[in-house]
Amino acid sequence: MGSTDLTVHDAVYGTFCLPPYVRAAVETGEFIRLKQLKQLGVSNAVFKTALHTRFDHSLGACYLAGRLLDTLDKTLEVPISEDERKCVMLAAALHDVGHGPFSHLWEKFVETYGARWRHERSSVELARSILDRMESVSEKQTNLICALIRGDASDLLKTGRQFLAHIVSSDVDVDRCDYLQRDAHHVPDIIKPSRPFRELFDRVRVVTTVHGKGLLAYHWEDYPLVQEMACARQTFHRRCYQQPTVLGAELMMLDVMYEAERAGFRFTRDEQSEQLSKIHGKPDLFKFLNDNITEEVAASNLPQLEKAKQLIERLRNEDLYREITSFPVDMTHEVAVFNDQQGAPVVVQARRYIKSTDQWFRSFNVTFYKAGAQGIEIVSLEEAKHLHRRAVPCEAAEEINEYIIYCTSADPEVERTARQHFCTLSNGKASSS
């Protein structure tokens, strides 16, 4: 593994260098796997340029963590130690190492089979495996890095150093800052921030509460940029992450995995083998799993995979499930009845729930500061809003809660029948409401 700095040529930040201990983590098989995990899952079925990866994002988050720490060091009475810097930067680099194929879609797939699995769990397992092999990282450092990834590092930090727990995991953190900037770069025209979100870290500092707790705080004049982040997240959910055609592509990819599971497909590496729905329980096998799983399913000679292979081919040809209509209420029963009548699952439903911009922003736990007569003063979110007074240049939107019906069949006649049936139901519900 490398003992020199890692030079990164990044599409968002240009060229930057990361320290040797980050290079050592990046050169492991577990981390290199992230090159085969697209950041936005199957969104590229609709947005052709959405091909950036978890690898790119993880390096970007690590870079931002270093930049934030450099800014804090300018005003801290007790500077950031090399030990603290190492732990925070490795946590930023490894925070997504446990993602499954197609981003958060894999969590939905696993949950169908009764497991409450989240990628953070596998991130900690794989991060620990990486760190245990790094001679420059102690057991104590490993425990803190894993806690920073999980978001529960407060118990391991002294009161005055609690701010370290919020750099990688909080409402305004290097993870969110990077993925919003990166997604905006690769999927243009979704958002247009007034300034790069990373500029939030140019004036960040640590403030101390009356109880001696050290908190990350942003300059009150940067309040508009924090609100823009909330707006940007909501806008990306509406226009990209949960755009109706993207949700249809997700349902299609889920059906590929369900068909593979029903056919008894097993993922195999290094003489280990497991069902797709259970691989997350075997870290030594999970570390090989990536978006190329569809290629393995397509190439398999296992009987009963014909439907899965047909769906993969349709995805390749952009012949996606087509949206029929949407409802304000759950239509699970009506979908089941119609499919029974048709003798096949020709329609499927996706729920699309997105908080309003106001709901998202109100839930933000973020601290601001201003210069006062007695020095630096802590400012709440509401106080920062009052101080600023100017309108924030971002798009506000209401809550979305709808159930979208899709036709799974490529047969135009089946689609016509389904559309007629559910549009009639939709009109009936609209007239009765």
Side-chain angles (χ1 to χ4, degrees), residues 304-366:
Q304 301 178 328
L305 275 177
E306 193 57 38
K307 185 174 180 181
K309 292 180 180 182
Q310 289 173 357
L311 288 172
I312 292 170
E313 190 63 23
R314 284 183 62 184
L315 281 163
R316 289 171 177 167
N317 294 331
E318 302 175 14
D319 180 16
L320 308 178
Y321 288 172
R322 280 177 276 281
E323 179 184 358
I324 293 175
T325 189
S326 64
F327 295 85
V329 295
D330 190 345
M331 297 294 286
T332 299
H333 175 71
E334 289 81 358
V335 166
V337 170
F338 183 78
N339 284 336
D340 283 344
Q341 293 171 347
Q342 300 300 310
V346 296
V347 293
V348 67
Q349 172 182 268
R351 185 188 181 195
R352 185 177 186 232
Y353 176 69
I354 307 170
K355 293 179 182 178
S356 71
T357 306
D358 187 53
Q359 287 172 321
W360 230 308
F361 193 51
R362 279 205 315 267
S363 68
F364 264 37
N365 182 15
V366 58

Side-chain angles (χ1 to χ4, degrees), residues 166-421:
H166 302 124
I167 294 172
V168 177
S169 181
S170 65
D171 286 326
V172 179
D173 58 25
V174 296
D175 173 23
R176 186 169 297 177
C177 182
D178 181 82
Y179 80 65
L180 285 171
Q181 290 182 126
R182 195 166 298 279
D183 293 351
H185 176 84
H186 289 280
V187 189
D189 302 324
I190 300 290
I191 61 170
K192 300 233 180 261
S194 60
R195 292 188 288 144
F197 293 131
R198 61 183 177 273
E199 289 187 10
L200 277 172
F201 303 143
D202 290 348
R203 294 194 285 187
V204 67
R205 65 180 298 150
V206 174
V207 295
T208 305
T209 68
V210 292
H211 302 294
K213 186 176 182 179
L215 301 176
L216 279 185
Y218 298 90
H219 197 285
W220 71 269
E221 290 182 347
D222 287 328
Y223 165 85
L225 201 54
V226 172
Q227 186 166 8
E228 279 190 60
M229 279 188 71
C231 292
R233 191 177 179 195
Q234 208 270 1
T235 301
F236 254 107
H237 272 273
R238 282 189 295 110
R239 296 184 177 180
C240 181
Y241 308 154
Q242 294 191 60
Q243 193 259 15
T245 310
V246 171
L247 289 181
E250 282 194 356
L251 290 174
M252 211 165 180
M253 186 60 77
L254 282 169
D255 280 346
V256 170
M257 299 307 150
Y258 296 149
E259 289 298 320
E261 192 79 0
R262 277 192 283 270
F265 180 86
R266 298 177 72 86
F267 183 74
T268 303
R269 288 293 187 281
D270 291 350
E271 300 182 350
Q272 291 190 81
S273 178
E274 187 54 272
Q275 294 171 254
L276 293 178
S277 64
K278 297 180 180 178
I279 297 177
H280 62 278
K282 293 185 175 181
D284 286 343
L285 187 58
F286 184 82
K287 68 183 182 183
F288 295 108
L289 189 66
N290 59 45
D291 289 358
N292 291 328
I293 184 61
T294 54
E295 303 304 315
E296 297 197 31
V297 172
S300 173
N301 294 320
L302 191 69
Q304 301 178 328
L305 275 177
E306 193 57 38
K307 185 174 180 181
K309 292 180 180 182
Q310 289 173 357
L311 288 172
I312 292 170
E313 190 63 23
R314 284 183 62 184
L315 281 163
R316 289 171 177 167
N317 294 331
E318 302 175 14
D319 180 16
L320 308 178
Y321 288 172
R322 280 177 276 281
E323 179 184 358
I324 293 175
T325 189
S326 64
F327 295 85
V329 295
D330 190 345
M331 297 294 286
T332 299
H333 175 71
E334 289 81 358
V335 166
V337 170
F338 183 78
N339 284 336
D340 283 344
Q341 293 171 347
Q342 300 300 310
V346 296
V347 293
V348 67
Q349 172 182 268
R351 185 188 181 195
R352 185 177 186 232
Y353 176 69
I354 307 170
K355 293 179 182 178
S356 71
T357 306
D358 187 53
Q359 287 172 321
W360 230 308
F361 193 51
R362 279 205 315 267
S363 68
F364 264 37
N365 182 15
V366 58
T367 302
F368 294 89
Y369 73 88
K370 67 176 181 179
Q374 304 300 317
I376 297 299
E377 296 179 3
I378 295 176
V379 176
S380 70
L381 188 68
E382 281 303 313
E383 289 172 315
K385 178 181 179 180
H386 177 73
L387 282 169
H388 201 270
R389 297 185 180 179
R390 287 191 292 113
V392 175
C394 67
E395 178 183 354
E398 296 303 311
E399 178 186 73
I400 295 173
N401 188 17
E402 61 180 353
Y403 297 82
I404 305 176
I405 308 299
Y406 297 86
C407 181
T408 66
S409 175
D411 185 333
E413 184 60 28
V414 173
E415 182 187 343
R416 186 193 66 77
T417 301
R419 188 177 299 278
Q420 182 179 41
H421 176 81

Side-chain angles (χ1 to χ4, degrees), residues 21-83:
Y21 52 79
V22 173
R23 182 187 187 109
V26 167
E27 290 179 343
T28 62
E30 293 93 333
F31 197 94
I32 292 171
R33 161 185 172 269
L34 298 183
K35 290 183 176 182
Q36 303 301 323
L37 293 180
K38 290 188 290 296
Q39 178 78 11
L40 297 186
V42 298
S43 295
N44 65 299
V46 178
F47 301 98
K48 304 308 175 188
T49 55
L51 299 174
H52 53 300
T53 66
R54 292 277 166 188
F55 184 93
D56 307 323
H57 163 60
S58 297
L59 293 179
C62 184
Y63 162 72
L64 289 182
R67 177 171 172 160
L68 189 154
L69 291 170
D70 289 341
T71 303
L72 293 181
D73 247 350
K74 296 174 183 177
T75 55
L76 276 173
E77 290 184 13
V78 180
I80 301 293
S81 69
E82 280 306 307
D83 179 72

